[in-house]
């Protein structure tokens, strides 16, 4: 499969920061809301379908204990906010009160990124890699045809000025996809850097699929 298209913008849909890192490294694009979150598949779809309406509501934010320690999770969407609540820590300990206070600051910060996302126009390629499994979320599931159809329909609804294209990478066994939805693999040669991935692998993928940013 070769995409062989020029896009007006290329935007990460997660499921974690690897996609955003390599899109920005390769094409120099701007930041968008899903860049640095870990977002489970159903959570991603529901964020789009609800037009971001329940982001950073303090009643949805939970401090959870993962294998690597405490972290902040949105119980509504299942999003893990590893980078958004550093100011909610005292000597490395996340405090519930400060999490609630920091929600206000995050709403201000992310309203800018959400506004940028909702004002996208032209031919857009959205890229998602991985399933976004979240340890304490009870709705984890892989992207399937139904979720992909919901994702595409949701993007088309909130982005009426866009021609939507979606590239899904790794971890799926998909065929008979909707129009302008693609599936491929990216080779992470160095498995010791899971979040970062491989420059070589991503560049090979971009080149083989012939993905280009319009000049």
């Amino acid at each position: 499969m070769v995409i062989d298209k020029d896009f007006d913008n290329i935007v990460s849909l997660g499921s974690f920061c690897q996609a955003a890192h390599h899109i920005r490294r390769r094409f120099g694009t701007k930041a968008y809301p899903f860049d640095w979150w870990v977002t489970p598949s159903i959570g991603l779809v529901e964020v789009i379908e609800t037009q971001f309406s329940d982001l950073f509501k303090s009643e949805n934010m939970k401090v959870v204990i993962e294998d690597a320690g405490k972290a902040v999770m949105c119980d509504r969407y299942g999003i893990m906010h590893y980078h958004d609540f550093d100011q909610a820590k005292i000597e490395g300990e996340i405090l519930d009160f400060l999490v609630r206070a920091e929600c206000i600051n995050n709403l201000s910060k992310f309203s800018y990124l959400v506004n940028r996302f909702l004002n996208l126009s032209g031919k857009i390629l959205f890229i998602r890699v991985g399933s976004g499994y979240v340890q304490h979320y009870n709705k984890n599931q892989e992207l399937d045809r139904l979720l992909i159809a919901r994702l595409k329909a949701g993007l088309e609804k909130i982005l009426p000025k866009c021609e939507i294209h979606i590239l899904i990478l790794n971890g799926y066994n998909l065929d008979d996809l909707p129009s302008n939805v693609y599936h491929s693999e990216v080779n992470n040669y160095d498995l010791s850097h899971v979040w970062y991935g491989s420059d070589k692998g991503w560049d090979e993928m971009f080149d083989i699929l012939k993905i280009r940013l319009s000049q």
Side-chain angles (χ1 to χ4, degrees), residues 40-54:
S41 296
I42 184 65
L44 168 68
V45 173
E46 291 180 350
V47 169
I48 297 298
E49 289 179 335
T50 60
Q51 300 184 46
F52 300 87
S53 62
D54 292 328

Side-chain angles (χ1 to χ4, degrees), residues 35-175:
D35 287 0
W36 309 119
W37 300 338
V38 172
T39 312
S41 296
I42 184 65
L44 168 68
V45 173
E46 291 180 350
V47 169
I48 297 298
E49 289 179 335
T50 60
Q51 300 184 46
F52 300 87
S53 62
D54 292 328
L55 278 182
F56 294 112
K57 286 187 175 180
S58 60
E59 62 267 29
N60 295 333
M61 311 312 292
K62 294 174 57 178
V63 178
V64 297
I65 302 176
E66 296 189 310
D67 295 339
K70 287 187 176 181
V72 178
M73 182 183 88
C74 171
D75 197 41
R76 167 68 176 89
Y77 295 124
I79 298 170
M80 293 303 303
H81 294 279
Y82 292 114
H83 307 288
D84 302 324
F85 288 91
D86 288 342
Q87 300 306 311
K89 297 178 181 178
I90 299 294
E91 296 184 353
E93 184 77 9
I94 302 173
L95 301 183
D96 289 330
F97 172 79
L98 295 180
V99 167
R100 295 196 301 273
E102 196 63 17
C103 283
I104 298 171
N105 293 330
N106 280 319
L107 278 171
S108 175
K109 171 185 174 182
F110 279 91
S111 65
Y112 178 78
L113 296 180
V114 170
N115 186 60
R116 175 183 286 168
F117 186 94
L118 295 175
N119 278 286
L120 285 167
S121 61
K123 185 185 294 185
I124 311 298
L125 178 65
F126 294 96
I127 298 180
R128 180 170 174 84
V129 59
S131 64
Y133 173 83
V134 171
Q135 185 175 346
H136 294 285
Y137 188 55
N138 61 10
K139 295 168 64 176
N140 287 297
Q141 68 178 92
E142 299 286 350
L143 275 177
D144 56 20
R145 291 173 185 80
L146 176 60
L147 277 183
I148 291 169
R150 286 174 58 185
L151 175 61
K152 187 167 185 252
L155 287 169
E156 289 171 343
K157 181 177 180 180
I158 66 174
L159 301 173
K161 297 179 181 179
C162 293
E163 178 184 307
I164 305 294
H165 296 254
I166 303 171
L167 173 60
I168 300 165
L169 295 169
N170 293 12
Y172 304 96
N173 183 20
L174 299 170
D175 53 22

